Amino acid sequence: MADSTETPAGSTKPVTGSIGPPVCSTEPPTRRMLVLALKVTGWLCVAAALVEIVRTAYRIRLFAIQIYGPVIHEFDPWFNYRATEYLAQHGWKKFFTWFDHMSWYPLGRPVGTTIYPGMQIASVAIWRALAAAGTPWSVNKVCCYVPAWFGGAASIFVGLLAHEASFAVSGGSGAALVAGCAIMAVVPAHTTKSMGGGFDNESVAITPMCAALFFWARSLRTPRSWWIAALAGISYGCMAASWGGYVFLLNVIGAHAALLVLLGYDHSKVHRAYSLFFLTGTWFATSVPAVGWAPFKSLEQLGPLLVFLFVQLVCLWKAPRWRPVFHFVIAVLVAAVPALYWSGYFAPLSGRVRALFIKSATKTGNPLVDSVSEHRPRSPDAYWSYLHYAGSVALVGPLAFLDFEAWPSEASLLVLVLGASSQFFSLKMARLMCLMGPAVSVLAGCALGAAFDHAVSPIWRSIQGPSNLEKRYAALRIFNTWPARLLRLGVAAAAVWASQQYALDFYKHSFDKARYAFSNPRIITRDKKGNINDEIRQAYGWLRDNTAPDARVLAWWDYGYQLAGVANRTTLADGNTWNMEHIGLIGMVISAPLPEGHRIARHLADYVLFFREDVGKSSHMARIANSAFPGHCEEITCDQFGVFRNGVPAPMMRDSLVWYINRPGTGYDTTIGDRLYKVVHESAHGRIRIAQVKKVSKKSKAWSANPQNRKCDAPGSWYCPGEYPPLLRQLLGWDEIEEGNHEAELHRVEYDRRVRQQQKAAPGPHGPGIPEGSYLDSCQGCRLEEGGKLLVCARCTLPGKASSESRLRLRQCTTGLVDNIHGQLTCVPEQNADDIPPGPYADTCLGCKLQDLGRRLTCSSCTTKNGRRRATSISLLACAPPLEVVNSDGQLVCPGLGNAPDIPPGPYQDKCQGCGLENGGTRLRCAVCVSPLENAEVTFELAQCPRPGKLEHNHGELVCIDMPHGPGVPEGGYLKSCHGCRVESGTLSCTGCRGADGRWRASSELPLSRCAPPGRVDNSDGSLICD
């Protein structure tokens, strides 16, 4: 099913199986007609498969819309929707001159020139096209469906890229096209950013990225196809208009072009294609206001520019008559580049980009960047969740590019560069996992396509004859004999049969991820019973319906987009996060002592809004405030703004606004607090609380609302940012305090007093003679007491909690070294004994030694996934040879210990090993079952679990679950989390009910007479209660 007579670039052989016979062919007409019929049939099958794949890609992305309706998801998509609606209502010109004074109050934001407008332009174009076609949709509905539409298109382009990458070897059979497209259609790494309602930049931008990669690869197939690079440049420009991730695409193509030149590929072809791509794409990209001249000034984009200059210089060098020009250009560059650098022409790397190239993306030096979970590194374990079996198949994808007669094609090298780059960046930042979707889909598609081509080649060779490679090497002709063909077909059939379950598992996993993990809009939720919880939109609706149109709402920046999109009220900050000082000012209001924060809030807001979970993330708010206003916290990490491990708030947290609103009656003195704020609305389930700011400064509000006080860049210009009102500037010490401004004088005095008190209370330096250890980096004020027997540290950092005092008896430490493990001083364990069995556990466990005459391995410290340490042991008699021990989340296990085939089914097999039947098949014995405390041998009498019950491991013991309910049991939610329920003598009892911690518990009996009609029953932490 080859699709072209062109010779693949980088190859020295003609394409095998190309359409049409040679000019002087003596091939029988019947064979030629049969070959043509098979090719046409094959491509018809490919077309039919692609149609079904696109339908699947569309269907999997609509789960959220089917459950919740056309609702915009998350936070950022609400801004994108609001901008799209503005473009649809006001048109192109007003959109690009839109200065939004309802966001970032009182400063405002120039929206049209600071966003990537590609998705808004595309959505409005679709909206207008639907209206012109006589099927008008609302802007909201179009925005909800756009990710699903673009997801299907991205799948097609990924399939085409896989087809192009495998073209040189397979001749373009179409198998890689179908496989790559099918994987991209459902792989979670892509669906996570392209679900219906998830109107985010990536949902649109990934499609032009895939298109650009395909067109770039296609432009290099032959010397005559270089013009296709213009389409790659246009696609790159579309991506630059849609997402800041365009820098990734630009650098991938630039690195690929440089690699081709360095490896000696056809330079003239690369020169023409890359020059056309770079000029076209850069012209398009610089037309985007948010991009501007960044391709010529930004350090992260200078690499592709240097590649452009490099290919020009190579071209000049290869033409002798142009070498004087070459020397002149080199001289100019040598003189100009250092001068431009020292003049500050080149912009420094952004904070988000710097985060990609340092050890931890949570230590960029910018607490605002560090506070965003999507900017943190992705755990390696996430690759299984987001890629599943496709990630494993992709590892063998490069083997599909092997060609014994030529170098890999240009497209093959592009895929390898794409895969390596995507792997690197996805590990550095969680949000960039979406880049792995196209890379893995192409690699896995090429691998599966090559496997398919090899499987059907016996049939194809029977019709068309041996390949060129088989004609050239006589030793390979054995593969074309009839016995070999039959054997190859049998092996292929067996491989397909063996792998079909893996394919079904991959698709089931992908659909489950899309349905259950990615189809949650967050602005609407569902409880365990499936009931819709719309309290967030209802709270925003309360603001819209019960406050003045000019009301200003202070909330953390996470909620700014939703507040503006749903409540249509002025907000102080949103997800654009362009001004850290302004966000720090909001953090001051939230984390400062209540009266101090109120003196700032009254000049900026009429209402404050908090989510219940804001208490948990308020440490970020304090750190950002401290970064903008040094001295706000005792230390740079603001460890004292938090909650101690016992649930008691630290003094700084207790006195803050976020605690006062979310934990009423447990924080600041209510007799004072109630004079400053009044809670006016609480959502249905208490997740959101809205408070009115009392004593609002009408003078500051009127000053900020006056257009005359905005600072326009020119008379009559649209660009008119606002300024902070004078009273607030005096309060913060930015301006001299005017006579009579007693509030500012009081604020400055109290703030300075608080800073001095915090500095005085801060722990001093470490005392003399303390032991060495890693605790010195995370503990403060450490000293020795009781004659050097007791180590006391005033504060030891505990992630997510307020730092507190920790003590350690040093006589316990045989190594003399000390660590800080989750806020507790801990002795560094001894090194492992020399005679312990080998295994990967030795890399993460310490203090390991053999006991009981070598029959038990005990480790005093094994690291868990969350960084804690746990003592554990395992009986080596339970480990089947060859002996291998691993650390599984702090537990020693033997991965090679298998279960007998005749044991009863059940989920216990996931955590138990070496299980087999004994005592005539009436008893089940498992050599090892993993439990939180210690791995243990477990037995169970099977008579206690008759069919259809199943066994499950329950924290060190086996329990019987899934027992059917008896007749006449009452209705209620307990039926889903309890089993074996029956009614006897008016009393309901169940064999077991699952508790809140996941354990199964034998439920208490419940007399049904206690339950009022209709007598519904529920499960409360493993106990039966009346609902």
Side-chain angles (χ1 to χ4, degrees), residues 204-379:
V204 171
I206 293 295
T207 300
M209 184 188 82
C210 298
L213 290 169
F214 164 67
F215 288 130
W216 168 249
R218 182 62 183 85
S219 70
L220 298 173
R221 185 192 291 183
T222 70
R224 293 178 298 175
S225 59
W226 60 270
W227 61 271
I228 301 177
L231 299 178
I234 294 173
S235 300
Y236 157 65
C238 292
M239 184 185 183
S242 303
W243 183 35
Y246 75 92
V247 178
F248 170 81
L249 171 66
L250 178 62
N251 280 277
V252 165
I253 293 181
H256 178 243
L259 185 63
L260 292 177
V261 175
L262 294 174
L263 291 179
Y265 282 74
D266 186 352
H267 173 264
S268 62
K269 180 172 58 176
V270 177
H271 171 253
R272 289 193 296 268
Y274 188 74
S275 298
L276 182 59
F277 159 78
F278 187 83
L279 294 174
T280 305
T282 303
W283 173 81
F284 200 146
T286 53
S287 301
V288 179
V291 177
W293 291 100
F296 301 102
K297 300 178 66 174
S298 174
L299 286 181
E300 55 256 35
Q301 300 182 53
L302 288 185
L305 174 61
L306 294 177
V307 173
F308 174 76
L309 297 175
F310 173 64
V311 296
Q312 311 307 319
L313 291 173
V314 172
C315 186
L316 292 174
W317 177 259
K318 289 192 173 184
R321 63 193 181 101
W322 289 102
R323 287 188 181 176
V325 179
F326 169 85
H327 293 297
F328 174 76
V329 174
I330 289 292
V332 171
L333 290 175
V334 169
V337 172
L340 290 173
Y341 177 80
W342 291 112
S343 68
Y345 173 80
F346 298 115
L349 293 174
S350 65
R352 296 179 184 180
V353 173
R354 286 199 308 271
L356 300 173
F357 295 97
I358 59 180
K359 184 175 181 180
S360 172
T362 61
K363 296 180 180 178
T364 66
N366 185 333
L368 181 56
V369 174
D370 297 343
S371 69
V372 182
S373 60
E374 285 191 332
H375 295 164
R376 299 171 187 171
R378 175 70 70 182
S379 166

Side-chain angles (χ1 to χ4, degrees), residues 59 104 145 153 163 179 228 264 331 389-390 414 434 482 484 594 625 649 658 703 711 788 838 924 928 963 966 973 995:
R59 189 173 70 252
W104 289 91
Y145 279 84
H163 174 75
I228 301 177
Y389 288 131
L414 173 63
C434 62
W482 277 106
L594 204 63
V658 66
W703 191 94
K711 195 173 182 178
L924 174 69
V928 178
M963 293 291 291

Side-chain angles (χ1 to χ4, degrees), residues 26-37:
T26 58
E27 192 176 5
T30 304
R31 175 176 290 183
R32 293 203 303 270
M33 292 299 296
L34 179 59
V35 170
L36 180 61

Side-chain angles (χ1 to χ4, degrees), residues 962-1027:
D962 288 353
M963 293 291 291
H965 300 306
V969 295
E971 296 294 327
Y974 76 102
L975 294 174
K976 296 181 179 179
S977 55
C978 299
H979 64 91
C981 301
R982 59 193 182 277
V983 176
E984 295 180 354
S985 303
T987 299
L988 175 66
S989 63
C990 300
T991 303
C993 289
R994 192 182 293 274
D997 58 358
R999 296 190 180 193
W1000 286 97
R1001 297 182 175 88
S1003 68
S1004 58
E1005 296 181 344
L1006 177 66
L1008 296 179
S1009 58
R1010 300 179 183 176
C1011 302
R1016 294 180 60 85
V1017 178
D1018 207 346
N1019 169 25
S1020 175
D1021 196 21
S1023 298
L1024 297 173
I1025 61 171
C1026 296
D1027 188 359

